[in-house]
Structures are given as C-alpha cells and as structure tokens.
Amino acid sequence: RVVRGSRGLSTETQAQYGFRKELLENLRRDLRDQEARAGRDVVGVDDELDAVLDGRPPTFDDLPKLERTASVIKEALRLYPPAYAVGRLAESDQRIGGYTIPAGSFVVVSQYATHRHHQFWENPEAFDPARFTAARDAVQHPYAYFPFGAGPRACIGSRFAMLETTIAVAALLQRSRVHSELQDVPLDTEGITLRPSSGVPLRLAAR
C-alpha cells in the first residue's frame, strides 16, 4: 500500500488562488463568445447567472442550477490546481506500470502535469469549460482530474471549497467585468501550493 500522505495541501482558500488574472480573463472570454455559441445551444455564464439569480445574491440552493459556472471553475482548477503535486510514502514494495517502487520511496504525483497531459485531455493547454459535463465525466479517467488530491487522503475541504468558490465567483461575475493589462503571471512553486509570484492588478467594471 502507498499510505502516509503529506500534510494538508488544499483548502477553500487555496482553491481561490486559482482565479488569478488569466483565469478571470478566460471567464470573461467565455462570456464574450456567447453570441458565437448561440447556435450550438450552449449557455454562457452571464446568461446562466441572469436566468438563475435574476439579480439577487446567489445561495446554496442555486448551486445545482449553476452548471456552466461550476464547469468554468473546474476548468480553471484543471489548469491551475491549488497544489501542483502531492506526495505519498510507500510503506511496502510496489509494482506500478512496469516499474518497481521500493518501500521507503517518496512518490510524487503532479496534478499540474496530469491536468495538462495529452493522454487525458484534448488540446490540454486551452481553456475549455465544456470538458466538464456529465457525459464527459462518465468516460474520463477517474484520476485524470484531482485538483484537491484523490483517494482516502484527498482534501476533506474539497466540497466546501467548490461550494464557496462557486458562490463567490457567481456573486462577482453577476455584477462585474474583470480585466487586467498583464499578459502573463509568473507562478510561485517554492511552496506546496500554486500561486502568483507577485501581485496581480485587476480592474473591475460594473456590468
């Protein structure tokens, strides 16, 4: 068995680090493409928020109806997971994929690399919320997407993180447009979490 995990890596706060400049810009790009998608029966985030919320603040009861918003968040977490890797200590010899992992080895699995691997994702560097639908989830490898870790030692706060993040993003985007002049945001990977290495200036404008 591979047991004993590293210390807690993913929390609702770390999930929200994922929504740096380029992700918020991608959210808005998704909205700007609504007209192009109109003939394909795809609902944009703005349309969804207007239809579901009708101007009122989002609540817990709204979450099942915010499917497009949730898919955008999941795609953001695919590209920029809260932690870029997780580690496990092998307590006994293991044989995985033709390789022997001796007992005592520290095994690192990278969400960041897996989430961008061509074996699991078509055009993996592109931001495409349509990846996360019930139909695609049914055929996707169960461990191709694990922003909060996986297995018995996955982050216990993952559900709360998604709940809180969906409500926060819905509340922000139903009233505001987000823009930044930055073209790229360097990432800090010195710790166990993924985050911008410096400040990310944003400009908010009322919708």
Side-chain angles (χ1 to χ4, degrees):
R1 293 184 304 140
V2 178
V3 293
R4 275 196 286 166
S6 52
R7 301 173 70 178
L9 297 178
S10 305
T11 67
E12 64 277 5
T13 301
Q14 295 300 336
Q16 291 172 7
Y17 277 125
F19 293 94
R20 55 186 61 83
K21 172 260 173 183
E22 61 265 55
L23 300 185
L24 288 168
E25 285 291 297
N26 279 323
L27 298 181
R28 280 301 162 192
R29 186 177 303 116
D30 176 67
L31 307 181
R32 291 195 297 271
D33 289 343
Q34 286 180 110
E35 291 184 3
R37 294 194 306 267
R40 296 188 294 157
D41 194 30
V42 177
V43 176
V45 174
D46 271 356
D47 288 337
E48 179 177 81
L49 295 177
D50 291 345
V52 173
L53 303 179
D54 194 25
R56 60 175 175 76
T59 68
F60 176 82
D61 293 334
D62 295 316
L63 293 178
K65 301 176 184 177
L66 297 177
E67 296 180 356
R68 182 67 181 181
T69 306
S71 69
V72 167
I73 293 169
K74 290 177 181 179
E75 176 67 346
L77 291 174
R78 181 186 71 84
L79 289 170
Y80 296 95
Y84 56 85
V86 292
R88 296 291 184 266
L89 182 68
E91 293 193 334
S92 61
D93 291 345
Q94 300 289 314
R95 187 76 176 169
I96 302 176
Y99 294 90
T100 298
I101 302 175
S105 299
F106 191 70
V107 182
V108 176
V109 181
S110 173
Q111 295 100 311
Y112 188 90
T114 304
H115 290 180
R116 296 168 181 259
H117 200 293
H118 288 273
Q119 180 179 345
F120 304 113
W121 308 96
E122 182 179 352
N123 194 13
E125 298 294 331
F127 184 87
D128 182 12
R131 302 178 199 275
F132 292 94
T133 64
R136 291 196 179 187
D137 287 346
V139 298
Q140 181 61 277
H141 191 289
Y143 294 115
Y145 178 75
F146 55 110
F148 299 102
R153 288 169 179 78
C155 175
I156 62 174
S158 59
R159 291 184 180 274
F160 179 72
M162 281 300 300
L163 181 157
E164 183 182 46
T165 303
T166 303
I167 290 179
V169 170
L172 173 67
L173 297 185
Q174 86 174 138
R175 298 181 180 275
S176 305
R177 298 193 181 280
V178 183
H179 180 69
S180 175
E181 299 296 333
L182 295 180
Q183 297 301 312
D184 185 41
V185 178
L187 299 176
D188 179 0
T189 58
E190 290 187 2
I192 60 175
T193 56
L194 191 67
R195 66 187 73 193
S197 60
S198 59
V200 180
L202 298 173
R203 183 170 70 249
L204 300 180
R207 281 182 57 190

